[in-house]
Amino acid sequence: MPQRHRGSATSRSVWGGSLSFTSCTRCKRLIPLGTGTRCPGCKPKRVHTLSASRRGYTSEYRRNRAVVLADAPACTLCRRRPATTADHIVPLSKGGTNQLSNLRPACGPCNYGRGNRGYHR
């Protein structure tokens, strides 16, 4: 059998036809070409999330987000990067609102890194 390098394709004859395989990048099992880089056992499980409107990001949020980002171009958390998102001071899941008084400008890394944590002084 010829030596295979990581990620290289191999051809095998199956029922008179020819299929090409590659190895799973995680466990090295053979998987058919065109099905991704991981076998079904190694693929991450899909997480079904709700749409933005179902999570509480309404037209009020979009309007207020534009106002917050226009007023303050720098991230209020790190003060180093430009603000690209509006961060909820009190998260929606903890009873916060989409009002201007509950939004502050933040860069993506700071906002996404905070996750579901509220504001503590």
Side-chain angles (χ1 to χ4, degrees), residues 7-81:
S8 64
T10 304
S11 292
R12 293 215 177 154
S13 178
V14 179
W15 294 295
S18 179
L19 290 177
S20 295
F21 294 88
T22 188
S23 59
C24 172
T25 56
R26 192 161 179 220
C27 69
K28 308 299 182 230
R29 288 187 191 129
L30 286 180
I31 55 173
L33 271 178
T35 59
T37 59
R38 292 187 180 178
C39 67
C42 294
K43 283 185 182 177
K45 305 298 180 233
R46 281 193 69 172
V47 177
H48 297 282
T49 59
L50 297 174
S51 67
S53 62
R54 288 221 173 161
R55 287 178 294 160
Y57 295 96
T58 60
S59 59
E60 177 191 17
Y61 167 76
R62 289 190 295 275
R63 236 184 350 263
N64 290 340
R65 176 185 181 272
V67 171
V68 166
L69 293 178
D71 287 347
C75 175
T76 56
L77 299 171
C78 71
R79 299 187 188 341
R80 292 181 303 191
R81 294 183 285 263

Side-chain angles (χ1 to χ4, degrees), residues 2-3 69 89 117:
Q3 283 187 338
L69 293 178
I89 297 168
R117 289 177 288 233

